[in-house]
Each structure stands twice: as structure tokens, then as C-alpha cells.
Amino acid sequence: MKNTFWNLTALLIFIAVIFFLLIPVTRIVMGSFQTQEGGFWTLQNYKTFVAYNTYWKSLINSIGVSLVASFLTIIVAVPLAFVVSRWNVAGKPYIIALSTIPLMLPSFICAYSWVVLLGRSGIITGLLQSLGLPFKSIYGYGGIIMIFSMQLYPYVFLMTLSGFNSVDESIEEAGRSLGTGPIKTFIKVSMPLVLPSILSGTLLVFMTAVENFGVPMIIGEQRPFLAVQAYVEFTSDISRHPGMCYAISVVMILVTLSSLAAQRYYLRKRNFMQSAKGRPLIKECHGWKRKFATAYCFGVVLTPLIPFFVAVIISFMEMRGPVIHPNFSLENYIYAFKHSYEPIFNSYFLATIATIASVIVGVPAGYILTRRRSAVGDALDIAIMLPFTIAGTVLGIALIVMFNTGILILTGTWMILALSYTIRKMPFIARSSSSILYQLDPSLEEASISLGVSPMKTFFKVTIRLMAAGIVSGAVLTWVTTISELSSTIVLQTPGWSTMTVEMFQGIISGEMGVANAFASILIISAIVPLLLMMRFVKDERASLF
Amino acid sequence: MAGIRIQDVKKRFGNLMAVNSVTLDIEKGEFFTLLGPSGCGKTTLLRCVAGFLEPEDGHIFFGDRRVEGTPTHTRGVGMVFQNYAVFPHLSVRENVKYGLKARKVSAGEQERRSREALAMVQLAGLENRLPNQLSGGQLQRVAIARALVIEPEVLLMDEPLSNLDAKLRVEMRGEIRQLQKTMGITTIYVTHDQEEALSISDRIAVMDHGNIRQIARPWEIYTQPADPFVAGFIGSTNMVSVEVIECKDNLLVAQCGGVLFGLPLQEGVEPGMRMMLSIRPEIFTVAPPQDSLPDSYWSLNGRIARIEYLGSMVKYEADISDTVKLLITGYNIEPMNLRRAGDAVRLVYPMKRVLTFMEDAR
């Protein structure tokens, strides 16, 4: 039968998901019900969680900070998306391209750079205080929320933008013709149609914020957060009783899972499929109005990029420990390359392996999701959604526990890092492949088969060719985001397999700012260059979108 | 080339019986059309023949070769799709060569055959264009050339003209018919457009809810529909449910809502029976009030309620009684003879051209 190839592929993906994700996570869940002595089925760890301030406060902090940040991103991103979609602002492609950059770069670099500017002895802090303003520093909840919002608003912006773009002009005109004014039409017709997009983006913001490790670690100043707490428990408790660490992990999974469930429940009845053929109505404005709108848009997308400029500039300055001297110097780079070129190589190597693996698994998975819709496809859909809900720290811990002993020992090797990256990034490739396929007419494949080319060959001769641009963009985004991964790397790295992000993080924590900045700059350039190349060579609208 | 035999083919989607035990014999070289409303199972049946779907039951033969279970790519079909399905990443020439390459035809032969095929569909000179530089009609020509160049045993066409504009559609159907006759290739053509089916086919199978209602040549389908569904689906008609009230001499009289219809006498029909009449709008003539009629004609008196002027023809809606309304079409009418709404008219029809269906037979 012609389905054998795809059934086999689906089966392999399932086995991989079960073996590399479900079983490790299940072991964490089971472990959380274990006592210190190894006895089973106790709620002791959860009781401890509720009883100790540090633990339950970490839950409150994680949820609270992420919620406020999600709310802020809506306030920032939705008006921006509206203006970019509906007004004739200048340089739209640049606005969109610039807006994607924060997603590509590690948030803890951003946090650290803000510390340089707004820390206790920050450059701007001093300025503000000399003006008599009561500003203290960026440390604390406010700072974390600000950084999350700046870093993650693109999720909401990009999704809302495509939502606004797909509201057909005629739908709004229909509203207008039935007697509602432009503002009322917007509220009654356009907003409800765009709301699912806004919520999908917001969910991504929330989940990414909950799982973020670097930002609260750097500017949280001992305020407890789930992701940090799991890591702390793991590194301090590994020899003794890991149950507490598992319990925290389970709480984190519950937080992300329930937010996903809430979103799915809400969207269940609100799936407004719209033909993408329509074009939204563009409001033409001229003179100062247009200039003002353009300035507003660029202002919003450029502000979050400030810390990255700062990081690059500082990297060329002389550093003594945490103290910056305003002299030009290549010392940091010389040190970084001479002393430890290994992390650079490791980051590139691991990202490349993970990207290749993600494409090999993700593209067929996306194909099955779209073209082989069946019970298998539905189950795969859920299996592929799972990695989204498992925080990097938790995944790292689960993989270590799973592959520490037994038939397959990976802990301490580079493979466990590549595996973790693949698990985390493959769903993105699968999703983006699936959305490309939705736009590809299935009869193209049938035409090829009817002309005498087998289904499997057709997949390679026709389907893959037509998806190529989208796959390349997806692969570039995967590579770029993988080199800046920290939350699972910090758990999984071992001597000899440290990455740029780990070096940077440890540099920041230990006050070796010079090296941290050099790596930060290398990382920023490593991310920007492929993105620019991709935008130049891949003529594909989706290239700039997630 | 081979004929196609479809034997008791069944296909179900969940609870829906998409194709219900269909049996068809299509002759070698025949242009055979599956016609029916959307959801009638015609595309499903075509896709079973193509091999994109496997029937749950029954057999499909190309000549003597049983093909169910044979994957599409080795089945030897050529297929033309509704939305062209021309590969956007390949030039016109490469599109046409695609199937030849899969068959490992030599390069020279590929070149020769693709050139011939493109000349046949009048696309010579456009070989190097990319699909996005072609119009809808040109794309469909590429798709046809691509399907024919591999010299398939059977040609399958799934609503190939429905994405084209009305004028091009009429033009292309003539060309498709011409090509098919010249090549003598057995063809199954799927459409929901009854006019297209009538104009293009050797034979038509009318389908409804997974069942075949009638298989016949175009004029038979139109003039002798097997049941009220076929009568109503093909062309427009007046369906009137009547009760037989009198049978005498050569005349049968039936009534509906107080209006009496004269019909030729039929064997086994007795007063009290119920029948469904299908009266084509074009069999009526508007006659002067007092003219005497030959015995084989019947007349009804009514009033024009609405008129729709379409140039080559006129459509009237006439009220015969409060409940009986009839549609009438007139061709070649002098402007001075045009009726207006409100005019009293006498409608005359030849009785033997009224189609009758016993109500129980439904």
C-alpha cells in the first residue's frame, strides 16, 4: 500500500517522541511523588512546595510576572500591528524585519545590557539620579517585566499583523455598508476576527516568559522564580534528594499546560478561516501624520534593540572585571578566541546538528499533519505540541535523569545537547512546514503521481521543491535561535561542551564582563548575518515571519 | 487504449455512502461523463478509478487488467485537475516532459513528443514560460498536454473547465472533445454542468447520492430521463404532481390544483393513481385563443406573471391557477409577439412530449 512510507515515518516520529520526551518527563512526574528514602506515592514534595515561602513565591512570581508581561506585549504590539497593517507607513518590510530580531537573541544579553545602562551604577541611572529622579535600578520585578515585554512582543505583533492582514477589505466594507461607523466596525467586526491571533501570540509570550531562566537569574536578585528554582534545586540537590526539583518541574509543566489548554478551549469555537486572497484596506495618510506614524513604528521596534547595540559597543572597550573603561580595545575578542574558541565551535556545531535533525524529522512530520489527516495525524499533532509545554530547564533535567543510566547513556556527551535542541526546535519546523503545505494545492502532488512518479519520489521531486524556500527560512530561524539557547544548555552542558551562551552567562554571574560581551557580540553577529542573508536570497514572505 | 469496467464499486466516508455499488462499462475510445450535483459521488468514483482512493468493494478493470490495488503511478492514467495543478517551479516544457522522464523515455524522444503535445494544444512557442506567466486557459492546455503526452490508457478529467470564464469554457470543451476523438483515448470526465456534459459526451452517467440514476447518450438523457431526478437535473422543467381522473379513448386526463392536463393513454394507468409530470418549458407554444387543435395537442389557459428577456430566448412564468405555475420558453420570437406581464394566454403542448413518472416508482 502506498501509505506504508508515511505510516512508518509517523511511527518513527512517535517512538522518538515517546522515548526522548514522554518517558523522561514521566520519570520526572513519578519522581516528584517519591520520598527522600525512595518510597513511592507521597505528596511530601508538594507539601514542602506549599509550606516554604521560596517555593510558592516562585510560582506566584513566575505566573504574575509572565501575566503582566503578556498584558504589556498586547498593549505594545496590537496598536503597532494595526498601524503597520492598515496605514501607509514607510519602510514596512524593515519594520517587520527589525521586529523579529529580539526573538533571535538571548534575553539574558538584553538583561545584562540593561544592567550596564540602568543598573545601580549604570550609565543612565547616574544621569537620572543627577537630575534628581527617584530611579534606583532595573533590578527586580519591574525590570524583568520590561525585558520580557521588549523581548517577546514580536510574537504578538507578528501574529496580530497577519491576523489584521487577512481581514478582507470587503468584510469591513460590509460592516460599514450596514451602517456602523469605522470605529464601531473595527470593534465589532475586525477585532473579533483578529482576537484568536492576538491570543495565540500572547500564549507564546506567556509560556516563553514562564520558562525563561536567564533574565530572572541575572536581575531577579534572589527573588525566586520557577525556572531558576528548578535549576538551583537540581545543581545543589543532585546527589541527595532530587524529589523537590522534580516537583517544581511538574508545577512548571502544569502552568504551561493549563495555559495551552485554556487557549485551545477558547479557540475551539473561534476558528475563523479566511481566504488570504483579500487585501485589507490601507489608509492613505500624508505629511506629518504619515511621518509621525512611521516614527512611532520605528521607535517601537528599535527600542528593544538598544541593549544589543550597547553589548556590541561595550565588547570593544577595555574591561577590568565588571568595570568598564571607555577605551577602544580588542582585548575581549583576543581573549575569547585565544582562551576559548571551543564554545564558539560547540555552539555552531550543536546548532547545525540540531537544525539538520529538526528538518529531517520536522518536515515529514509537518507533511503528515497536513496531508495524512487521520487518527495518526491527530495523535502526532498532540505529540508535536508537547515540547512547547516543557520548559528548557525541565527538559534538560528530564534528559539527564533518563540517559544517565540504562541502555543509552548520553549524559555528559554532546549528543544530549543536540537531542535537547532538536526536541525543542523540531516542532517549529513541523508547524511551519505544515503551514506552507496548507497553501500548496494537493492536486500538484496527485498530478505528479498520476504521471507515473511514486508518492515517495513525488514528495522529493515536487513537494520538497515547492516547500524549499519555507524550509530554508525555518532552518535559518532554528539555527539562529538554537545558538542562543540557554535554559536547557545550562543544565546539560559539561566540561568540554560548553557553549557561547554558557560562557557568557557564567561570565556575567562571575563578573567577567569582558568575555561575556565578546561572546555576546559574536552571538549577535552570528544571528544577524544568516538572517540578513536569508532575507536577501530567499524570496519568500514567510521568511520574515515565524 | 482500453475500455474501463467498473463493477459494484463501493466507497464510504464514515457513515456517508459516497459511491454505492456502481457498475459501469465504458467502451474503448468513449468519452464518458459522470454528471451530478456536488456531493453526488462523481469525483470520489473518478478518484477510485485514478487510484487516489481505494474502493472498499468491487473491481475496476482497464481492458482485461484489474487495477484496484495497483498504485496510481503504475496504473497508466492521465489526469487533468480542476485547478490545473501545473508545477509552478517547472517551465511549460518541463511540465510536459515530467511524466516522460518518469518513464525513462530517451531525451530526443522526450523533446519530440513534448513538442508535438504542445503543438496539439496550441501552445507552441510558449515552451520556456513559467506557469505564473500563463493565463488560466493556457494553464489548462499545459495540463492537458502533460496528461496526453504519456499516452495513458485512460484519461481522467475532474471538472477541468470550472475555473475558466464562461466563454473560454465553451471554447475549450470543443477543443477537448476534438483532441479526444483524434487520439481515440478512453476518457472519464467529471462535471456538474449539465450543458457541458450534453455537449461533450458520448454517454453520460447521472449520479445522485452515490447512486447512478441513468446511463445514456446525451439526447436520451434529455428526452427520456429515467426518473424525476434526472428530468429535473438536466435542463429546466416543470414538475407537476397530478392525480389521474379519467382514461378514455386515446386520452388520459390528470389534475393538479384544479388544472386539467391531457396526456397520451398509458397501459396500466387507472383513475386515482398519482403521477409526476415533467413538462419541458420549450414544448409550449403560445397560441391564439380560438384556434382549433389537432387531437394530439392539449391547451391550458393562464396569465403571464413574469417575463425574462434573454435575447435569443424569452422566459415566461405563467399562472394557470393559484397553485399551478408553469415556466415557458420561447425562441426566435418577433418583438411584436412578446407578451407582457398580465396578458392572458393560451398555452398549447403536444401531449406525447410530456414525461410521466408513476409516483410509487420514486
Side-chain angles (χ1 to χ4, degrees):
Chain A
M1 283 297 291
K2 60 179 176 180
N3 284 340
T4 326
F5 173 69
W6 290 112
N7 287 340
L8 203 67
T9 311
L11 190 71
L12 283 176
I13 298 172
F14 266 124
I15 292 174
V17 169
I18 290 171
F19 191 67
F20 292 121
L21 187 66
L22 274 187
I23 297 180
V25 170
T26 311
R27 287 180 71 160
I28 296 282
V29 175
M30 306 227 311
S32 73
F33 293 105
Q34 238 165 342
T35 57
Q36 206 148 356
E37 293 76 36
F40 246 117
W41 308 124
T42 167
L43 288 174
Q44 191 52 51
N45 296 318
Y46 292 98
K47 280 181 188 152
T48 314
F49 187 93
V50 178
Y52 281 84
N53 264 352
T54 321
Y55 295 139
W56 64 258
K57 267 191 183 160
S58 72
L59 176 64
I60 306 282
N61 285 345
S62 280
I63 292 181
V65 162
S66 304
L67 271 183
V68 178
S70 305
F71 184 69
L72 273 181
T73 59
I74 294 178
I75 293 179
V76 173
V78 175
L80 181 67
F82 177 78
V83 172
V84 172
S85 167
R86 298 306 170 83
W87 289 17
N88 62 338
V89 287
K92 271 186 199 181
Y94 297 100
I95 296 171
I96 295 168
L98 285 171
S99 77
T100 58
I101 294 175
L103 291 180
M104 310 299 152
L105 297 171
S107 50
F108 65 91
I109 296 188
C110 175
Y112 161 68
S113 299
W114 281 117
V115 169
V116 173
L117 296 173
L118 296 169
R120 292 216 172 73
S121 51
I123 302 163
I124 301 178
T125 313
L127 202 72
L128 291 175
Q129 283 168 352
S130 69
L131 291 172
L133 289 165
F135 180 80
K136 283 211 185 76
S137 80
I138 194 168
Y139 290 97
Y141 298 118
I144 297 174
I145 289 168
M146 180 186 97
I147 289 167
F148 280 165
S149 315
M150 283 195 184
Q151 188 90 28
L152 302 175
Y153 84 92
Y155 283 130
V156 181
F157 169 64
L158 295 173
M159 291 208 167
T160 311
L161 179 66
S162 73
F164 275 128
N165 280 342
S166 66
V167 176
D168 195 308
E169 182 183 353
S170 60
I171 290 179
E172 285 175 6
E173 284 173 346
R176 297 282 293 276
S177 74
L178 293 169
T180 46
I183 294 170
K184 212 172 170 194
T185 302
F186 179 75
I187 294 167
K188 293 248 173 192
V189 178
S190 314
M191 263 332 250
L193 290 174
V194 176
L195 203 56
S197 311
I198 298 176
L199 283 181
S200 302
T202 312
L203 177 78
L204 277 176
V205 173
F206 180 81
M207 298 212 300
T208 317
V210 168
E211 77 115 34
N212 189 292
F213 166 82
V215 176
M217 189 76 185
I218 290 168
I219 58 168
E221 290 199 315
Q222 313 304 324
R223 288 176 185 85
F225 284 84
L226 285 174
V228 176
Q229 215 55 41
Y231 169 74
V232 169
E233 292 295 326
F234 184 72
T235 44
S236 64
D237 262 359
I238 190 145
S239 51
R240 295 179 286 124
H241 171 51
M244 206 50 229
C245 163
Y246 297 163
I248 297 170
S249 302
V250 172
V251 171
M252 256 175 111
I253 294 173
L254 286 179
V255 170
T256 43
L257 263 186
S258 48
S259 62
L260 181 71
Q263 184 235 22
R264 287 246 149 160
Y265 178 79
Y266 175 80
L267 287 185
R268 216 168 32 130
K269 288 171 200 155
R270 293 176 179 77
N271 195 4
F272 309 114
M273 285 299 281
Q274 291 193 58
S275 66
K277 294 208 172 67
R279 278 269 124 213
L281 191 66
I282 306 277
K283 192 180 155 192
E284 296 285 332
C285 42
H286 302 282
W288 66 270
K289 252 186 170 173
R290 181 166 186 236
K291 284 191 185 114
F292 180 79
T294 307
Y296 160 77
C297 291
F298 275 96
V300 174
V301 296
L302 284 175
T303 311
L305 301 182
I306 293 172
F308 302 107
F309 290 121
V310 171
V312 174
I313 293 166
I314 298 173
S315 73
F316 288 106
M317 289 183 181
E318 204 180 307
M319 302 283 283
R320 288 196 199 106
V323 188
I324 303 166
H325 294 257
N327 309 319
F328 177 82
S329 151
L330 285 175
E331 199 58 38
N332 299 321
Y333 287 92
I334 294 166
Y335 181 83
F337 280 110
K338 209 159 64 182
H339 176 73
S340 44
Y341 64 88
E342 251 185 12
I344 304 173
F345 167 80
N346 290 348
S347 284
Y348 285 1
F349 171 76
L350 292 169
T352 308
I353 297 281
T355 302
I356 294 170
S358 299
V359 169
I360 291 175
V361 181
V363 174
Y367 185 85
I368 294 167
L369 285 184
T370 328
R371 290 285 195 263
R372 309 265 149 189
R373 210 68 240 205
S374 60
V376 180
D378 290 343
L380 195 66
D381 198 6
I382 296 168
I384 283 177
M385 237 4 232
L386 275 178
F388 282 123
T389 64
I390 312 286
T393 329
V394 176
L395 179 68
I397 294 167
L399 288 178
I400 284 188
V401 172
M402 176 78 183
F403 298 109
N404 214 359
T405 54
I407 41 168
L408 191 61
I409 298 178
L410 297 175
T411 307
T413 68
W414 61 268
M415 283 180 278
I416 201 165
L417 281 160
L419 177 64
S420 154
Y421 294 160
T422 308
I423 292 171
R424 301 201 71 196
K425 301 301 174 184
M426 185 273 280
F428 279 104
I429 298 273
R431 290 272 155 219
S432 73
S433 305
S434 146
S435 70
I436 302 165
L437 277 165
Y438 269 117
Q439 295 166 24
L440 270 188
D441 191 339
S443 55
L444 284 169
E445 289 153 53
E446 291 178 352
S448 164
I449 294 169
S450 78
L451 290 168
V453 177
S454 71
M456 198 177 87
K457 269 192 178 166
T458 294
F459 179 71
F460 292 106
K461 277 188 84 166
V462 176
T463 321
I464 290 275
R465 294 283 167 83
L466 296 175
M467 293 171 71
I471 295 175
V472 169
S473 330
V476 171
L477 293 179
T478 302
W479 193 86
V480 164
T481 51
T482 306
I483 55 168
S484 48
E485 212 273 4
L486 177 68
S487 56
S488 77
T489 316
I490 196 77
V491 179
L492 292 168
Q493 56 99 11
T494 45
W497 283 103
S498 163
T499 66
M500 282 195 274
T501 49
V502 172
E503 292 294 314
M504 233 182 308
F505 179 72
Q506 281 168 352
I508 293 169
I509 295 293
S510 63
E512 284 295 328
M513 297 305 190
V515 190
N517 272 307
F519 278 124
S521 304
I522 296 170
L523 200 60
I524 290 168
I525 291 159
S526 309
I528 300 281
V529 170
L531 286 177
L532 289 178
L533 287 177
M534 176 181 81
M535 282 172 197
R536 177 143 182 83
F537 291 110
V538 183
K539 294 273 173 268
D540 180 19
E541 221 177 72
R542 287 177 296 267
S544 57
L545 294 173
F546 237 64
Chain B
M1 303 307 153
I4 302 167
R5 193 143 59 87
I6 296 167
Q7 214 175 50
D8 294 320
V9 164
K10 261 187 210 158
K11 181 72 191 175
R12 204 193 309 258
F13 293 119
N15 287 328
L16 180 82
M17 196 51 131
V19 174
N20 188 5
S21 272
V22 165
T23 299
L24 283 175
D25 259 305
I26 299 166
E27 280 167 38
K28 209 162 133 178
E30 189 173 19
F31 199 115
F32 194 92
T33 296
L34 299 175
L35 172 67
S38 58
C40 73
K42 55 189 192 298
T43 295
T44 307
L45 183 58
L46 187 81
R47 291 171 68 80
C48 286
V49 175
F52 292 125
L53 295 173
E54 281 298 328
E56 315 172 359
D57 211 357
H59 305 296
I60 298 168
F61 295 90
F62 291 176
D64 296 328
R65 186 163 63 101
R66 224 173 89 179
V67 296
E68 79 268 11
T70 311
T72 305
H73 63 282
T74 55
R75 213 173 256 209
V77 297
M79 187 141 176
V80 179
F81 297 83
Q82 179 172 5
N83 32 21
Y84 324 131
V86 171
F87 304 126
H89 60 306
L90 300 178
S91 69
V92 169
R93 178 187 282 116
E94 292 302 313
N95 261 287
V96 176
K97 280 187 184 173
Y98 188 90
L100 295 175
K101 280 186 184 157
R103 285 169 172 68
K104 309 254 186 311
V105 172
S106 72
E109 183 77 359
Q110 279 181 27
E111 192 57 43
R112 188 183 64 76
R113 277 166 72 176
S114 63
R115 201 173 330 108
E116 273 176 23
L118 284 169
M120 206 163 58
V121 295
Q122 300 163 32
L123 283 182
L126 300 183
E127 288 88 349
N128 294 323
R129 295 266 186 100
L130 279 173
N132 60 14
Q133 300 168 303
L134 299 181
S135 69
Q138 287 171 327
L139 285 172
Q140 199 54 287
R141 282 165 208 261
V142 175
I144 292 168
R146 186 178 67 179
L148 288 176
V149 78
I150 58 170
E151 292 171 4
E153 276 193 87
V154 303
L155 178 64
L156 308 176
M157 306 183 106
D158 186 6
E159 310 221 13
L161 302 181
S162 60
N163 277 355
L164 303 177
D165 64 58
K167 205 170 172 187
L168 198 55
R169 203 151 58 209
V170 173
E171 211 175 289
M172 285 288 289
R173 76 186 183 208
E175 282 180 38
I176 290 178
R177 172 72 180 166
Q178 190 79 47
L179 272 176
Q180 188 269 342
K181 280 296 141 207
T182 346
M183 298 196 58
I185 186 168
T186 315
T187 301
I188 303 183
Y189 188 98
V190 161
T191 183
H192 63 266
D193 181 336
Q194 39 102 10
E195 187 189 301
E196 193 172 294
L198 292 176
S199 81
I200 208 170
S201 321
D202 290 323
R203 278 195 304 158
I204 297 169
V206 181
M207 291 186 70
D208 181 43
H209 288 102
N211 296 303
I212 293 209
R213 293 306 193 98
Q214 188 172 13
I215 304 172
R217 286 175 285 187
W219 57 90
E220 292 166 337
I221 293 268
Y222 189 78
T223 55
Q224 299 155 38
D227 59 27
F229 172 80
V230 177
F233 187 72
I234 310 283
S236 55
T237 193
N238 295 293
M239 293 296 232
V240 189
S241 173
V242 294
E243 188 189 350
V244 178
I245 52 172
E246 201 181 358
C247 305
K248 58 165 192 195
D249 306 331
N250 275 331
L251 188 67
L252 188 155
V253 180
Q255 71 93 23
C256 169
V259 178
L260 298 181
F261 291 89
L263 303 162
L265 196 60
Q266 289 175 47
E267 236 173 85
V269 176
E270 287 162 24
M273 287 182 163
R274 297 204 62 87
M275 307 201 289
M276 182 66 85
L277 306 183
S278 161
I279 315 175
R280 296 281 185 200
E282 70 270 17
I283 72 171
F284 291 105
T285 37
V286 180
Q290 302 312 330
D291 278 16
S292 66
L293 287 174
D295 283 350
S296 58
Y297 283 76
W298 188 264
S299 75
L300 299 167
N301 290 313
R303 193 172 290 278
I304 301 288
R306 263 176 354 104
I307 151 164
E308 197 179 336
Y309 181 71
L310 297 171
S312 67
M313 70 190 242
V314 182
K315 286 186 183 177
Y316 296 119
E317 196 182 293
D319 293 340
I320 311 302
S321 72
D322 286 347
T323 51
V324 179
K325 296 175 197 307
L326 293 175
L327 191 67
I328 295 134
T329 51
Y331 292 86
N332 205 7
I333 289 179
E334 301 275 340
M336 53 186 286
N337 290 338
L338 275 177
R339 306 292 161 150
R340 291 164 193 278
D343 288 0
V345 286
R346 184 174 180 229
L347 302 172
V348 173
Y349 65 86
M351 289 189 282
K352 64 170 198 249
R353 293 198 50 196
V354 175
L355 302 166
T356 57
F357 306 97
M358 301 312 294
E359 289 257 285
D360 300 342
R362 278 226 294 173

